[in-house]
Each structure stands twice: as structure tokens, then as C-alpha cells.
Amino acid sequence: MAEAAREAVERIPYGLLLARLGQESTARFRRSLRPLNLGAQQFIVLKQLQTMGPTSQTGLADALGIDYSNMANVTADLCDRGVMNRRRDEADRRRYVLELTEEGEQLLADADLMLGEGEEEMLSVLSETEREQLREILRRMADALQLCPESGSEAEACAEVASEPE
């Protein structure tokens, strides 16, 4: 077998490396949130709402690719905890508008600190420059796949694309 072919066979595929790192990252993510009694999906909903600001429940669901009935359950739980408010839109009474409460902002600040500790352990093998390069690469990949919008306008654009008929 030629040297290049042998290296290609012996090399672990990107997908496998990403999948294994994803599994480990997810496990650490969940462990970090557990002391706050916060699930991964709840955190993601709160974090995206923080990014978007007050927004409709359907807009948030579309931005995250979450089924509307699942979003209704998650938001009901978060409202019961007092970390999010849900109210009828004055302009369209059929629509709910969601916004974080002060308690929600504090919960996210606490979660960010705990997640940072978990991430630090995984990233400790990288220099600051390598960390920034990794973030840039991951951000480009996420943007190309329209995942994890970083701003309210990006999230709204993703929601519009998600709601377009195929």
C-alpha cells in the first residue's frame, strides 16, 4: 500500500473526532449545569433568548430548530421557575412574547461561569492563540450550517429560513 493511502486509512476521520469531542463536551456541559437544576435544552433556550432579546415563542423555536410543542413545555417550566416571562403580544394576541427576568439573567451568568470551568479543562492543552483559532473555525462551520446564531438578527434570519416551505 502506498504511504499516502496507508496514512489515509490510519487517520481518524474528522467526523469521528468531532463526534467523540462532542460527546465529551456534552457530558461536561450537562454536569456543569446540574448544580443549577438546569437542563441543556433549558440553558440553550435561555441563552438564545438572551441573544435575541424579547421575541416570539415561535421565533425562538424556529431559531433553535425546536418543535413548537416542546418549546411550549420548556418555556412553561422556565416561566414557573421565574427565569422567563411569557406574555401575549399586544399587536397579535395569538402570539406569545418571551423575555428573560432578572433571575434568568443571573442564572445565565452563573451557568456561564460553571460552563467556563468545564471548558477550561478541555481547552487547557491549547494556547490562547489556538483557542481563538478553534473558536473562529467552529464559528465558521456553525455559520455555514446556520447553527447557533450569535445575534438577534442572525437568529431571526435563521428562523425565516427554517420556516420557508421546502
Side-chain angles (χ1 to χ4, degrees), residues 28-151:
R28 288 170 185 258
F29 182 79
R30 290 174 193 261
R31 279 194 305 269
S32 294
L33 296 175
R34 195 172 297 134
L36 299 173
N37 193 28
L38 190 63
Q41 188 175 47
Q42 292 174 323
F43 172 80
I44 292 165
V45 166
L46 289 171
K47 196 66 176 172
Q48 191 62 55
L49 181 59
Q50 185 182 49
T51 298
M52 294 174 74
T55 192
S56 73
Q57 186 168 300
T58 56
L60 185 59
D62 289 341
L64 292 170
I66 297 175
D67 178 78
Y68 295 152
S69 60
N70 288 344
M71 179 61 80
N73 291 333
V74 171
T75 57
D77 290 343
L78 293 170
C79 288
D80 289 345
R81 279 186 72 174
V83 296
M84 174 190 293
N85 286 324
R86 178 171 55 182
R87 62 178 166 74
R88 293 280 182 189
D89 187 339
E90 295 297 322
D92 183 351
R93 302 293 295 160
R94 298 169 296 177
R95 193 176 110 145
Y96 282 110
V97 174
L98 305 173
E99 60 188 325
L100 287 176
T101 63
E102 286 183 29
E103 292 85 359
E105 292 284 357
Q106 184 58 55
L107 180 62
L108 282 174
D110 294 343
D112 285 341
L113 284 174
M114 296 184 90
L115 290 170
E117 292 170 9
E119 287 178 350
E120 180 58 35
E121 192 174 319
M122 281 187 71
L123 297 172
S124 65
V125 299
L126 301 177
S127 70
E128 282 301 316
T129 301
E130 290 170 324
R131 289 178 188 206
E132 284 308 310
Q133 290 170 338
L134 177 62
R135 180 179 297 282
E136 273 184 44
I137 291 166
L138 292 173
R139 183 78 253 165
R140 282 197 338 247
M141 291 172 69
D143 288 347
L145 297 171
Q146 297 182 342
L147 304 173
C148 306
E150 277 195 308
S151 69

Side-chain angles (χ1 to χ4, degrees), residues 152-163:
S153 58
E154 285 180 19
E156 289 171 10
C158 288
E160 287 176 20
V161 169
S163 65

